[in-house]
Amino acid sequence: ELKVEQNPLFLSMQEGKNYTIYCNYSTTSDRLYWYRQDPGKSLESLFVLLSNGAVKQEGRLMASLDTKARLSTLHITAAVHDLSATYFCAPVLSNNDMRFGAGTRLTVKP
Amino acid sequence: NAGVMQNPRHLVRRRGQEARLRCSPMKGHSHVYWYRQLPEEGLKFMVYLQKENIIDESGMPKERFSAEFPKEGPSILRIQQVVRGDSAAYFCASSPLSEALSPGANVLTFGAGSRLTVL
C-alpha cells in the first residue's frame, strides 16, 4: 500500500524567508499533484507534475518531482502571509487513484 | 458548471442514527472519490468509484460504511449507526477521465465538504 509522508507537518516561518516542504512516497508513481487548503475550506489544485524531473512554478511556489527517489518538493520563496495554508501532496497510483499526505500546515508571520 | 456539489454541508446526528452524504460530480466527470478529514488532520482516502462500480474501497471501514455511485443521481456515502468518532469533514472529489487515458487530467475537483457532528 502506498504511504505518503510529508515533512514538516507544521511550519512557521517569517515573511521573506525561503523554505522547502518534502513529500516522500513508498511505491512507484510517475505523477504527483500538490493541493492547497485554507482553514475550513475545500482543496484547490496547485500543480500537476507528470514526469521525472518535472518542475513547475507559480508565483512564489515551485514544485519538483524525482520519481527515482520517490520525492517531490514544494519550495517557497520569499514567503508572504497569503501563503499561510495547509499544503498536500498526492501521488497517483498505478490504478489511477490518488493518496494524500497528511499535509503541511504553513503559517507565515510578519 | 456548478462544480462538485455536496450536501448537506453540515449534518448533526445522535449516536446510533444514520448519516447520508451526497455528492454530485462536475458535469462530465465520471470518477468520484471520498475522503475523510478529522479535525486538525490530513485527508484519508476512503473510496474511489466510477458509475455503478466501486474501483477501490481499501480506505473504507469494514463495518457501517458504504458508498455507491448509481447510473443516475449523486454518489452517496452512507454511515450507519454513527459513533462520535465518525465526526469529521467528508470531502468528495471528481475527475473527468481515467488518469491512464489522459495523464495530468486527473486533477481532482473538490466539493466544499460535508461536516458531520455526532452528539
Side-chain angles (χ1 to χ4, degrees), chain A residues 31 35 42 97 99 105, chain B residues 37 40 56 99 108 110-111:
Chain A
R31 298 186 286 284
Y35 284 81
S42 190
D97 67 20
R99 294 291 184 272
R105 189 180 302 173
Chain B
Q37 187 175 39
E40 307 298 316
D56 182 348
E99 176 73 4
L108 299 187
F110 279 81

Side-chain angles (χ1 to χ4, degrees), chain A residues 31 33 35 37 40-43 45 48 50 88 92 95-103 105, chain B residues 33 35 37 40 42-43 45 48 56 58 91 98-100 103-104 106-108 110-112 115:
Chain A
R31 298 186 286 284
Y33 294 74
Y35 284 81
Q37 185 181 33
K41 305 285 187 182
S42 190
L43 281 80
S45 172
V48 51
L50 295 177
F88 293 93
V92 180
N95 65 347
N96 303 321
D97 67 20
M98 310 182 149
R99 294 291 184 272
F100 282 74
R105 189 180 302 173
Chain B
Y33 305 74
Y35 292 87
Q37 187 175 39
E40 307 298 316
L43 287 174
F45 168 78
Y48 165 33
D56 182 348
S58 58
F91 286 96
S98 162
E99 176 73 4
N106 202 26
V107 178
L108 299 187
F110 279 81
R115 281 160 179 79

